[in-house]
Amino acid sequence: MLTAMDKGIEAAQVATPPVGVYRGVDLRILPKFIAFKAAMLKHNLTLQYLLVIHLAAFALNFAFSRYEIHGLQMKLREKEYILAPGVMDFTPASPQSVSDSYVVNAAMTFLGMLGNVNAANIDEQYKRLASFMSPELSIQFEEEAREWRETVKAENISEILRVTDREVVSTDDGFYKVTAIAQRERYSNAENLGHVDEIVEMTMRLVPPVKGKEWFLEITSLKRGRADGFKPSTSGGKANGK
């Protein structure tokens, strides 16, 4: 049976796709998809920023905590000292628990560096002695001893200091005052120049441990003079024995 279209009475009907559809793909949902992807990217970027901020805050907090712990450890170590000369292991001690024998032994070592000198060893002896002094006293000692060192080397002088008596007085804040009575005997070119009685006053204090240092006492003042004209002093003074 022929239809009206077949007879040419009606025009052929052409099917048109729905608006917004191309090749079977619905393009009407594309704006929503783009908006969704943009929101996801923004959300992920924000999350990354938050993670970076939290990591940075954690790193700063960790670094600050370690710095604070290190500072507390340093403060704690300031109250502990090595007492055994030549021993690298730490031996805790507080100023009130340091024995007089330790202080006396250190003082005798320092007096030996000060008084037992000759033309060959005076520079080394005085340099080593200055290393145990406070910075201010070390500068003063080096300056005042310069002329005496030159005299010793020029006149080939040898000096021997024999300690006959000593006294140690300690304070609660870690300072020790040592007073030594000694006899100084001096030679020049093997000729005996006689002997003189002397008094040496030395003030020392305990200092924090330093690796490789024999004694952990620092000389803060030093005065040496003839017994017949010695005036006690609590400040640093000449120590060249002239």
Side-chain angles (χ1 to χ4, degrees), residues 55-77:
L55 287 174
F58 175 78
L60 288 174
N61 181 65
F62 178 78
F64 178 78
S65 299
R66 296 302 304 171
Y67 178 79
E68 185 177 23
I69 292 173
H70 177 72
L72 293 175
Q73 288 177 340
M74 293 298 294
K75 290 293 184 182
L76 180 63
R77 288 291 305 280

Side-chain angles (χ1 to χ4, degrees), residues 112-114 116-117 121-130:
M113 298 177 197
L114 175 66
N116 297 319
V117 296
N121 71 2
I122 188 169
D123 287 337
E124 181 181 354
Q125 290 278 83
Y126 278 14
K127 181 179 179 180
R128 186 172 174 225
L129 178 61

